[in-house]
Amino acid sequence: MSIDHAAQRVALADPVLDRRTPGEEFAWAVAGAPQGTDVVVPFRVALPQSFPLFGTRPRYAVRHLLKTATVPDRAVPYVHEAPPPGPAQAGTTYASVPESGFTPSIRSAALTDLAVTVPLPKGLVDEPSLLAAFIDYRVLVRLSAVENEALLHGTPDGVIEGLLTLPQARRGPLAGDLGDVLTTAAAEVETTGGSCDGAVVHPAVYWRLVRDGLLGQLNAAGITVSRTRMIAANQVLLGDFKAAVTLLDPGVGSLVLRQGAGPDGTDLVEARTRSGLALHLPQHFLLLADD
């Protein structure tokens, strides 16, 4: 659903959220909005990073595995390094390691909007504190889930390529003892010259890691584990996330109140964030799957 640019736009006192939350800003902005008028509340931040519980508990979204760059609101050039053909087998001299044959080139990464629409209970816009909490704790978490989906599976417009579908990423089996498989795969990631610094797993796999004491060992080795429902339970993605890709943040986001736009005449809130992904070294990823 696209934003109606003819709608009322509200200039915020704190658009970069130094002092207030997105929900607090939104509740302030829509207070007293004319009946039947859409209200666009723009921000100069990536809204998914503002989900308040990210700061109080160690649950990591996919974005937390990536380095982020602040960029202009346009296509961004970046350096991509293509691997040489053949298997990634590393010798003991620089000339015999894969990265000695990487071919750098300049590419361009476009930006795209990620969005989610959530119905508002009748009367919620008249309760500013309750509305603010609903935005911060329920709407932003949905937008974070949409962002996880985009980063792993790509966007419908093809602007963001999903990390689970990169043709240059390597593949391997997810079979046998989980600890043995993950440590072997982490070492395999590093044959291309990277450092395995992250893994994306389904919650079912994450809690197996907790039960077996493997999560703490992975963390001690510098591997941050992101758990999300957006990856299948029979898959694990490992990689040098911070070297391989950059999350591009132009600082463009918005919350939109759509009055009476729901199927039963209730209000809707639409949360949007704009982002892109620069793929520097897709060969630094290894996807394990139990087919």
Side-chain angles (χ1 to χ4, degrees), residues 168-214:
Q168 292 175 319
R170 290 169 292 158
R171 267 65 175 175
L174 182 61
D177 178 81
L178 185 58
D180 288 343
V181 171
L182 293 185
T183 52
T184 299
E188 179 66 20
V189 166
E190 303 191 356
T191 62
T192 57
S195 295
C196 188
D197 63 9
V200 181
V201 304
H202 188 273
V205 176
Y206 179 91
W207 291 107
R208 284 176 60 195
L209 296 175
V210 172
R211 180 198 64 192
D212 297 340
L214 295 172

Side-chain angles (χ1 to χ4, degrees), residues 5-221:
H5 293 283
Q8 176 182 351
R9 297 180 67 87
V10 178
L12 300 183
D14 187 23
V16 295
L17 304 176
D18 284 333
R19 300 177 303 278
R20 291 190 285 187
T21 69
E24 290 168 342
E25 285 289 305
F26 182 75
W28 173 84
V30 303
Q35 187 67 30
T37 301
D38 291 352
V39 181
V40 180
V41 184
F43 296 91
R44 295 202 299 269
V45 299
L47 285 177
Q49 73 182 15
S50 301
F51 177 53
L53 294 184
F54 281 151
T56 59
R57 62 189 184 190
R59 180 165 187 178
Y60 304 105
V62 178
R63 70 164 26 247
H64 296 131
L65 305 185
L66 315 179
K67 66 179 178 297
T68 301
T70 301
V71 299
D73 188 15
R74 56 174 171 77
V76 178
Y78 69 95
V79 176
H80 173 91
E81 296 186 56
Q89 295 177 346
T92 56
T93 65
Y94 174 71
S96 64
V97 295
E99 62 263 40
S100 67
F102 288 175
T103 304
S105 63
I106 297 291
R107 294 189 176 184
S108 180
L111 304 176
T112 190
D113 284 351
L114 309 178
V116 66
T117 300
V118 181
L120 297 178
K122 185 177 181 180
L124 185 60
V125 293
D126 300 320
E127 301 288 343
S129 295
L130 195 59
L131 175 61
F134 185 77
I135 296 297
D136 289 334
Y137 289 92
R138 298 306 304 145
V139 175
L140 294 188
V141 74
R142 288 166 163 84
L143 187 59
S144 180
V146 168
E147 183 182 67
N148 277 350
E149 179 184 9
L151 292 174
L152 292 177
H153 298 280
T155 51
D157 58 12
V159 169
I160 293 178
E161 293 186 62
L163 299 181
L164 294 175
T165 61
L166 299 177
Q168 292 175 319
R170 290 169 292 158
R171 267 65 175 175
L174 182 61
D177 178 81
L178 185 58
D180 288 343
V181 171
L182 293 185
T183 52
T184 299
E188 179 66 20
V189 166
E190 303 191 356
T191 62
T192 57
S195 295
C196 188
D197 63 9
V200 181
V201 304
H202 188 273
V205 176
Y206 179 91
W207 291 107
R208 284 176 60 195
L209 296 175
V210 172
R211 180 198 64 192
D212 297 340
L214 295 172
L215 182 64
Q217 296 176 41
L218 293 172
N219 289 339

Side-chain angles (χ1 to χ4, degrees), residues 241-257:
F241 285 79
K242 285 187 167 55
V245 295
T246 301
L247 182 62
L248 306 174
D249 176 16
V252 177
S254 63
L255 291 165
V256 182
L257 173 65

